[in-house]
Amino acid sequence: MSSYAIGVDIGGTNLKAALVAREDGLLEQTQRPTEARKGPEHVTSQITGLVADLIDLAPSDAVMGVGIGAPGAVNWERTTVSHPPNIDDWESVNLRASLQSRLGRSLPIIVENDANVAALGSAFHGAGRHVDSFIMVTLGTGVGGGIIYQNKIFRGSTGGAGEIGHMTVDYEGPFANTGVGGAIEGYLGQRFLTRHARDRIVNYPDSTVRDLVEGDLEQMSPRTLYDAATQGDEFAQAMLAWAGHKLGCVLGSAVNLLDIRTIVVGGGVSAAGDYILDPARDVLPRFVTPGLRDDLQIHREDLGNEASLLGAARLAFEGKDAQVGTR
Amino acid sequence: MSSYAIGVDIGGTNLKAALVAREDGLLEQTQRPTEARKGPEHVTSQITGLVADLIDLAPSDAVMGVGIGAPGAVNWERTTVSHPPNIDDWESVNLRASLQSRLGRSLPIIVENDANVAALGSAFHGAGRHVDSFIMVTLGTGVGGGIIYQNKIFRGSTGGAGEIGHMTVDYEGPFANTGVGGAIEGYLGQRFLTRHARDRIVNYPDSTVRDLVEGDLEQMSPRTLYDAATQGDEFAQAMLAWAGHKLGCVLGSAVNLLDIRTIVVGGGVSAAGDYILDPARDVLPRFVTPGLRDDLQIHREDLGNEASLLGAARLAFEGKDAQVGTR
């Protein structure tokens, strides 16, 4: 008999969930607005609703567990989420206990950092499935990261490993949201990348970007830059190449430290694809010590949000004892 | 019965070896000049001589194996050393096979990167012995690194993990020996640190450093800076603080990626001790994402070269199956 699990992705805007069959993959998807300003009680209640709906869609007693990808810090036991950015008043919530109580049953529930969950999805279903070890980078509102080492999530001492977004590429660089100077998130985070571009468009009076945003540069997004780059716009290509250079630099530091040579890049900003990744590929070897330069690979993750839902469900399939991710 | 192992440290200037008892630690030490310009055959022969001498000093058949810390890249199987810096004409040498053949016996021989060996020594006998996971940094001619994670050496995909010296702190920074721009070795490596200081002493006409080197600034070493700093010299203190700031920056990146909060600093330059480490401690939290700032520790390793010899012997005690370092 095929077994089922539910994967949940807690986003700042939407809560998404999917019913996943171990053999057949994603069966049903559903979502609700996060309404993050209403606080943790409300958000937890919304998650419970999504999960209950999907349990009803599965054959009775066939759902073996729930995996949840959450922003913020997740504790070592993978039960509790602390200080997720973008959700008001959320100090520390034991999601496992809260959901079990609300659902009225002791269904196994495993919580994991969302970037780690995306890496797990990629490891089982995406661009990471051909290698045992890779570094996952998610380029979105912020810059997230996860490490898959020998088919497991590398969690560090407390479950917080993989914070690539806060690695610095310039000890005197600009400050990202977290106050870390020169953190890569301060270059590649959506807001920072577009601000950098807005400051520089003055030198490109003929850029297509102006037309794409109908003159309102506040509307510029990485997507705009990608669209303009695709149309051959020199300004947009230069901005994305600038971002790719910084990405290659930080990935070089990560390769030096981990000796993991495959990198998978996902997340919304990665839609800009090779306009960012080719420059990153070009400079990466220059930021890696010669002994580790062979077989460097940067792949794009094309699964999109599915990677997170599949990865979250995989948490439940693999179970608590598997320490996550053993294939 | 107590068991014995031999630890070897291959340095650019001297080859050192020790007979180590599992219970009693270091029993005998011996060394020979590396004479690196004579090439790998000669160096291997010298190592064999050291090992044979120590085997003769131990009770017969009591030596269970030889562990060797080597500069350069060591393969995954821990037999072969490739391209060690500072030894002429050394392409790739299977030290295990070579030593077994020269010794005429199949004694277990395990080779490991010298920075990893120093970390192992610290893990069992030094500043790292109270924690399960730590980042080891060795400040010497170059900047080396090793990662102990859950009581084992974290080796990465090919055995090359922990190359902290090549992590960058400035994407447009100066080039270290390996050609990596802004690599920390280009700031803290002995030659780079003293060059930085020499360039700046012009602004400190009264610095004690001039007296300590009798006017010959080419003779300035990190040791000179430390001696002058200890005497209250403002210039020397400023130079070491500058180095500590860069060290704190790169360690912040490493903490973000690994979620390992304890750092152990060894090697010759670490003699400058708190003049480097206090500034590093000050800035470290600023380069770490807030969620990982608790319990950050930077310790100095006081064992010195003994850490390497003890760590190398430990390779033999732990054996091949133990995947190194399980206590």
Side-chain angles (χ1 to χ4, degrees):
Chain A
M1 182 186 125
S2 178
S3 56
Y4 300 79
I6 291 169
V8 178
D9 179 45
I10 304 182
T13 308
N14 287 302
L15 303 168
K16 296 179 182 172
L19 180 65
V20 177
R22 191 195 283 269
E23 310 298 333
D24 303 321
L26 227 138
L27 299 179
E28 297 280 347
Q29 277 196 61
T30 174
Q31 68 176 59
R32 297 182 181 195
T34 308
E35 299 175 324
R37 72 200 173 283
K38 294 189 181 172
E41 278 291 313
H42 177 76
V43 173
T44 312
S45 159
Q46 293 287 86
I47 295 170
T48 310
L50 285 172
V51 170
D53 289 350
L54 289 172
I55 288 176
D56 288 344
L57 288 174
S60 68
D61 293 328
V63 173
M64 54 187 293
V66 180
I68 303 177
V74 175
N75 67 342
W76 184 256
E77 294 73 23
R78 295 202 295 264
T79 58
T80 301
V81 178
S82 302
H83 304 290
N86 310 323
I87 306 186
D88 291 357
D89 304 323
W90 185 307
E91 296 287 322
S92 190
V93 174
N94 184 324
L95 272 183
R96 179 188 291 174
S98 175
L99 260 71
Q100 283 176 339
S101 158
R102 285 166 192 269
L103 289 166
R105 47 194 292 187
S106 63
L107 200 62
I109 292 174
I110 298 178
V111 189
E112 182 56 88
N113 173 272
D114 51 6
N116 285 346
V117 164
L120 203 58
S122 184
F124 279 91
H125 304 280
R129 71 187 181 280
H130 303 299
V131 293
D132 291 341
S133 305
F134 64 94
I135 301 166
M136 179 93 195
V137 186
T138 52
L139 304 179
T141 310
V143 175
I147 301 163
I148 300 290
Y149 180 60
Q150 293 179 345
N151 298 318
K152 294 182 182 178
I153 295 174
F154 178 88
R155 304 186 77 230
S157 299
T158 69
E163 290 283 7
I164 291 166
H166 308 292
M167 292 176 73
T168 191
V169 294
D170 180 1
Y171 60 83
E172 289 185 329
F175 291 87
N177 288 339
T178 51
V180 174
I184 191 68
E185 187 163 289
Y187 300 82
L188 291 176
Q190 186 154 345
R191 186 162 66 84
F192 296 97
L193 176 56
T194 51
R195 183 199 292 164
H196 178 86
R198 265 200 308 277
D199 289 348
R200 278 151 187 83
I201 199 169
V202 64
N203 294 325
Y204 297 82
D206 301 326
S207 169
T208 327
V209 166
R210 290 177 196 280
D211 305 327
L212 290 175
V213 297
E214 295 173 351
D216 181 2
L217 292 176
E218 290 296 321
Q219 299 305 314
M220 196 198 315
S221 71
R223 182 79 214 180
T224 324
L225 292 172
Y226 169 65
D227 290 341
T230 309
Q231 294 170 30
D233 187 71
E234 186 194 358
F235 163 72
Q237 289 176 0
M239 294 302 106
L240 295 173
W242 173 87
H245 176 255
K246 306 301 165 287
L247 179 63
C249 176
V250 80
L251 292 177
S253 279
V255 170
N256 283 318
L257 191 57
L258 298 171
D259 182 18
I260 294 177
R261 319 280 181 96
T262 299
I263 292 126
V264 174
V265 182
V269 176
S270 76
D274 291 341
Y275 291 105
I276 288 180
L277 299 191
D278 277 345
R281 290 179 184 114
D282 283 346
V283 301
L284 177 58
R286 285 203 267 132
F287 289 106
V288 173
T289 189
L292 303 179
R293 278 181 198 163
D294 290 344
D295 303 320
L296 292 169
Q297 303 273 343
I298 300 182
H299 300 294
R300 189 167 126 196
E301 181 53 77
D302 294 319
L303 272 182
N305 194 245
E306 280 189 22
S308 297
L309 292 170
L310 288 166
R314 183 57 58 175
L315 285 169
F317 287 133
E318 297 302 313
K320 194 174 146 192
D321 297 332
Q323 177 63 11
V324 184
T326 309
R327 280 182 280 200
Chain B
M1 183 189 122
S2 177
S3 56
Y4 300 79
I6 291 169
V8 178
D9 178 45
I10 304 181
T13 308
N14 287 302
L15 303 169
K16 295 179 182 171
L19 179 65
V20 178
R22 191 195 282 269
E23 310 298 332
D24 304 320
L26 228 138
L27 300 180
E28 297 281 348
Q29 278 197 60
T30 173
Q31 68 176 59
R32 298 184 181 194
T34 308
E35 300 174 324
R37 72 198 174 284
K38 295 189 181 172
E41 278 292 313
H42 178 77
V43 174
T44 313
S45 158
Q46 293 288 86
I47 295 170
T48 310
L50 286 172
V51 170
D53 289 350
L54 289 171
I55 288 175
D56 288 344
L57 288 175
S60 69
D61 292 329
V63 172
M64 54 187 294
V66 179
I68 303 176
V74 176
N75 67 341
W76 184 256
E77 294 73 22
R78 296 202 294 265
T79 57
T80 302
V81 178
S82 302
H83 304 289
N86 311 325
I87 305 186
D88 291 357
D89 304 323
W90 186 306
E91 295 287 323
S92 189
V93 174
N94 185 325
L95 272 184
R96 178 187 291 173
S98 174
L99 260 70
Q100 283 177 340
S101 156
R102 285 166 192 270
L103 289 167
R105 47 193 291 186
S106 62
L107 200 63
I109 293 174
I110 299 178
V111 189
E112 182 56 89
N113 172 273
D114 52 6
N116 286 346
V117 164
L120 202 59
S122 183
F124 279 90
H125 304 279
R129 71 188 181 281
H130 303 299
V131 293
D132 291 341
S133 305
F134 64 94
I135 300 166
M136 178 94 196
V137 186
T138 52
L139 303 179
T141 310
V143 176
I147 301 162
I148 300 291
Y149 180 61
Q150 293 178 345
N151 298 318
K152 294 181 182 177
I153 295 174
F154 178 88
R155 305 186 77 232
S157 299
T158 69
E163 290 284 6
I164 291 167
H166 308 291
M167 292 177 73
T168 190
V169 294
D170 180 359
Y171 59 83
E172 290 184 330
F175 291 86
N177 289 340
T178 53
V180 173
I184 192 67
E185 187 163 288
Y187 299 82
L188 291 177
Q190 186 153 344
R191 186 162 65 85
F192 296 98
L193 175 56
T194 50
R195 183 199 294 165
H196 177 87
R198 264 200 308 276
D199 289 348
R200 279 151 186 81
I201 200 169
V202 63
N203 294 323
Y204 297 82
D206 301 328
S207 170
T208 327
V209 166
R210 291 177 195 279
D211 306 327
L212 290 174
V213 298
E214 296 173 349
D216 181 3
L217 292 176
E218 291 296 321
Q219 299 305 314
M220 196 199 316
S221 70
R223 182 78 215 181
T224 323
L225 293 172
Y226 169 66
D227 289 342
T230 309
Q231 295 170 30
D233 187 72
E234 186 195 357
F235 162 73
Q237 289 177 358
M239 295 302 106
L240 295 172
W242 173 88
H245 176 256
K246 306 301 165 288
L247 178 62
C249 175
V250 80
L251 292 176
S253 280
V255 170
N256 283 317
L257 191 57
L258 297 171
D259 182 17
I260 294 177
R261 320 279 182 97
T262 299
I263 292 125
V264 174
V265 182
V269 176
S270 76
D274 291 342
Y275 291 105
I276 288 181
L277 299 191
D278 276 344
R281 291 180 183 112
D282 284 347
V283 300
L284 177 58
R286 287 202 266 129
F287 288 106
V288 172
T289 190
L292 303 180
R293 277 180 200 165
D294 290 346
D295 303 319
L296 292 170
Q297 303 273 344
I298 300 182
H299 300 295
R300 188 168 126 196
E301 180 51 78
D302 294 319
L303 272 182
N305 193 246
E306 279 190 23
S308 298
L309 292 170
L310 289 166
R314 185 56 60 175
L315 285 168
F317 286 133
E318 297 303 312
K320 195 175 148 193
D321 296 333
Q323 176 63 13
V324 183
T326 310
R327 280 184 280 201

